[in-house]
Coordinates of all heavy atoms in Angstrom, one line a residue:
T249 N 14.0 16.7 12.3 CA 12.8 17.4 12.2 C 13.2 18.8 11.5 O 13.9 19.5 12.1 CB 12.2 17.7 13.5 OG1 11.8 16.4 14.1 CG2 10.9 18.5 13.4
A250 N 12.6 19.0 10.4 CA 12.9 20.3 9.7 C 11.7 21.2 9.8 O 10.6 20.8 9.4 CB 13.1 20.0 8.2
V251 N 11.9 22.3 10.4 CA 10.8 23.2 10.7 C 10.8 24.3 9.6 O 11.8 25.1 9.5 CB 10.9 23.9 12.0 CG1 9.7 24.9 12.2 CG2 10.9 22.8 13.1
V252 N 9.8 24.3 8.7 CA 9.8 25.2 7.6 C 8.7 26.2 7.8 O 7.6 25.9 8.1 CB 9.5 24.5 6.3 CG1 9.6 25.4 5.1 CG2 10.6 23.4 6.1
V253 N 8.9 27.5 7.6 CA 7.9 28.5 7.9 C 7.5 29.2 6.7 O 6.7 30.1 6.7 CB 8.5 29.6 8.9 CG1 8.8 28.9 10.3 CG2 9.7 30.2 8.4
T254 N 8.0 28.8 5.5 CA 7.6 29.5 4.3 C 6.2 29.1 3.9 O 5.8 28.0 3.9 CB 8.5 29.0 3.1 OG1 9.8 29.3 3.5 CG2 8.1 29.8 1.8
A255 N 5.3 30.1 3.7 CA 3.9 29.9 3.3 C 3.7 29.9 1.8 O 4.6 30.2 1.1 CB 3.0 31.0 3.9
G256 N 2.5 29.5 1.4 CA 2.2 29.6 0.0 C 2.8 28.5 -0.9 O 3.1 28.7 -2.1
M257 N 3.1 27.4 -0.3 CA 3.7 26.3 -1.1 C 2.7 25.8 -2.1 O 1.5 25.7 -1.9 CB 4.1 25.1 -0.2 CG 5.3 25.4 0.7 SD 5.6 24.0 1.7 CE 7.0 24.6 2.7
L259 N 1.3 22.8 -3.1 CA 1.4 21.5 -2.6 C 0.1 20.7 -2.8 O 0.0 19.5 -2.4 CB 1.8 21.5 -1.1 CG 0.9 22.3 -0.2 CD1 -0.3 21.5 0.3 CD2 1.7 22.8 1.0
G377 N 5.3 15.5 7.4 CA 5.2 16.9 7.6 C 3.8 17.3 8.0 O 2.9 16.4 8.3
G378 N 3.5 18.6 8.0 CA 2.1 19.0 8.2 C 2.1 20.4 8.9 O 3.1 21.0 9.1
V379 N 0.9 20.8 9.2 CA 0.7 22.1 9.8 C 1.1 22.0 11.3 O 1.7 23.0 11.8 CB -0.8 22.5 9.7 CG1 -1.1 23.8 10.5 CG2 -1.3 22.7 8.3
L380 N 0.8 20.9 11.9 CA 1.1 20.8 13.4 C 2.5 20.3 13.6 O 3.1 19.7 12.7 CB 0.1 19.8 14.0 CG -1.4 20.1 13.9 CD1 -2.2 19.0 14.5 CD2 -1.7 21.4 14.5
A381 N 2.9 20.5 14.8 CA 4.2 20.0 15.3 C 4.1 18.5 15.3 O 3.0 17.9 15.5 CB 4.6 20.5 16.7
Y390 N 10.5 15.1 9.6 CA 9.3 15.8 9.6 C 9.5 17.3 9.2 O 10.3 18.0 9.8 CB 8.6 15.7 11.0 CG 7.2 16.2 11.1 CD1 6.2 15.3 11.0 CD2 6.9 17.5 11.3 CE1 4.8 15.7 11.1 CE2 5.6 17.9 11.4 CZ 4.6 17.0 11.3 OH 3.2 17.4 11.4
H391 N 8.7 17.8 8.3 CA 8.8 19.1 7.8 C 7.5 19.9 8.1 O 6.5 19.7 7.5 CB 9.0 19.1 6.2 CG 10.1 18.2 5.8 ND1 11.3 18.6 5.4 CD2 10.1 16.8 5.7 CE1 12.1 17.6 5.0 NE2 11.4 16.5 5.2
R392 N 7.6 20.7 9.1 CA 6.5 21.5 9.6 C 6.4 22.8 8.8 O 7.3 23.5 8.7 CB 6.6 21.7 11.1 CG 5.3 22.4 11.6 CD 5.5 22.8 13.1 NE 4.3 23.4 13.6 CZ 4.2 24.0 14.8 NH1 5.3 24.0 15.6 NH2 3.1 24.5 15.3
S393 N 5.1 23.2 8.4 CA 4.9 24.4 7.7 C 3.4 24.8 7.7 O 2.6 23.9 7.5 CB 5.4 24.4 6.3 OG 5.1 25.6 5.6
G394 N 3.2 26.1 7.9 CA 1.8 26.6 7.8 C 1.3 26.5 6.3 O 0.1 26.6 6.0
G395 N 2.3 26.4 5.4 CA 2.0 26.3 4.0 C 1.2 25.0 3.6 O 0.7 24.9 2.5
F396 N 1.2 24.0 4.6 CA 0.4 22.8 4.3 C -1.1 23.1 4.5 O -1.9 22.3 4.1 CB 0.8 21.7 5.3 CG 2.0 21.0 4.9 CD1 3.2 21.3 5.5 CD2 2.0 19.9 4.0 CE1 4.4 20.6 5.2 CE2 3.1 19.2 3.7 CZ 4.3 19.6 4.3
A397 N -1.5 24.2 5.1 CA -2.9 24.4 5.5 C -3.8 24.4 4.2 O -3.5 25.0 3.2 CB -3.1 25.7 6.2
S425 N 10.7 17.9 1.7 CA 9.3 18.1 2.3 C 8.3 17.4 1.4 O 8.4 17.4 0.1 CB 9.0 19.5 2.4 OG 7.6 19.7 2.7
A427 N 5.7 18.6 0.5 CA 5.2 19.7 -0.3 C 6.1 20.1 -1.4 O 5.7 20.9 -2.3 CB 4.9 20.9 0.6

Side-chain angles (χ1 to χ4, degrees):
T249 298
V251 180
V252 183
V253 295
T254 303
M257 293 181 178
L259 56 86
V379 175
L380 301 180
Y390 192 95
H391 309 258
R392 184 187 183 190
S393 172
F396 280 97
S425 167

